[in-house]
Amino acid sequence: MKSKDELLKELEGLGIDASKPVRKTRSDAGQMRGTYKPRSDKGKKRGSYINTGNKYRNVFERMLRSHSTGDGEDNLVRDNNLIFPPNIDRRYVFIKTKEREYYTSTKKPMLLEQARWRWFMAEYKNNPAVWGTRIAKWYFIKETDIDLWTFTEWAWAYVYGINGAENRLTPTPIILSYDDYLVGKYNGHPKYNERGDITWTKS
């Protein structure tokens, strides 16, 4: 299992600085702090100015911290590309009653890779020139296809098109194509249960 520092270095290699939050430069930088400046968004609802990229990043990082084992380590599974496998959508929960103790399988409320996807896509909406390249590299998709994919579609294509095989450091990585997904190249299309969750099948 790789350490937090090793993972951060690999993210930085993709141009993603995960060591500190992205902060907007102050509009009054360099000016005396005592000088009053009216708000540029005066009269507008503040809710529309929420930085959704930071919001989703915080969700992702909270989920990571909830699995921390100390010293920058966690107990999460990553594949050879540092992707949290999207087809591992259940977890074991320890149950203790007066009569017995046992583990039971339960559906995860959200996948960690799905949380990262939401973070990256929120950043992309604010800065497509920078985040388009980062998303294409991280998820092995064409930059021109980013607006076409949903997470569920990408997850299906990734599992059946790459399946966690080393693809990040190879000279000729597999690049997932949305056109190929549409025609069912990646083991057809997702099948869903009554809750709307993917039913994973063997390839």
Side-chain angles (χ1 to χ4, degrees):
M1 184 177 297
K2 296 189 177 183
S3 70
K4 180 178 179 181
D5 289 338
E6 288 174 319
L7 294 172
L8 289 175
K9 287 179 182 177
E10 295 194 30
L11 281 175
E12 289 170 1
L14 292 171
I16 301 168
D17 185 0
S19 63
K20 56 185 178 181
V22 176
R23 294 189 180 274
K24 184 178 178 182
T25 304
R26 290 180 56 94
S27 59
D28 60 353
Q31 298 184 21
M32 292 180 61
R33 296 299 294 276
T35 304
Y36 172 74
K37 289 188 66 177
R39 273 177 40 206
S40 59
D41 60 352
K42 185 177 181 181
K44 298 180 182 179
K45 291 183 179 180
R46 298 298 293 275
S48 62
Y49 288 83
I50 294 174
N51 185 326
T52 55
N54 277 346
K55 180 179 76 171
Y56 285 122
R57 176 180 177 170
N58 289 339
V59 170
F60 174 74
E61 291 181 341
R62 274 201 309 273
M63 292 175 71
L64 273 182
R65 287 195 298 271
S66 71
H67 293 272
S68 173
T69 58
D71 298 323
E73 301 288 336
D74 59 57
N75 57 7
L76 294 163
V77 174
R78 296 169 179 81
D79 65 20
N80 292 315
N81 302 308
L82 297 180
I83 298 284
F84 297 105
N87 56 334
I88 300 179
D89 56 0
R90 303 191 71 81
R91 61 175 177 164
Y92 286 96
V93 177
F94 180 70
I95 304 295
K96 182 176 182 179
T97 67
K98 291 181 179 179
E99 293 78 26
R100 60 186 181 130
E101 299 178 0
Y102 62 97
Y103 283 91
T104 184
S105 174
T106 184
K107 179 76 176 178
K108 292 179 180 179
M110 183 189 290
L111 301 174
L112 250 166
E113 200 57 54
Q114 184 177 20
R116 174 157 43 203
W117 175 280
R118 290 182 178 180
W119 162 29
F120 282 15
M121 289 300 176
E123 298 285 10
Y124 170 69
K125 295 301 181 185
N126 291 328
N127 193 345
V130 172
W131 282 89
T133 302
R134 295 176 180 179
I135 289 170
K137 287 182 178 179
W138 184 260
Y139 287 112
F140 311 115
I141 58 179
K142 299 175 182 177
E143 194 165 342
T144 53
D145 286 354
I146 289 175
D147 289 316
L148 302 176
W149 290 101
T150 65
F151 175 77
T152 299
E153 293 169 338
W154 170 83
W156 185 269
Y158 179 77
V159 168
Y160 294 109
I162 298 175
N163 197 27
E166 171 55 58
N167 198 49
R168 200 169 295 289
L169 302 177
T170 59
T172 56
I174 297 170
I175 303 299
L176 301 172
S177 163
Y178 194 74
D179 286 339
D180 288 343
Y181 166 78
L182 286 179
V183 300
K185 180 177 178 180
Y186 307 114
N187 197 38
H189 297 101
K191 288 79 174 173
Y192 301 93
N193 60 24
E194 66 279 0
R195 296 188 302 272
D197 301 322
I198 289 181
T199 301
W200 293 100
T201 60
K202 295 181 179 180
S203 55

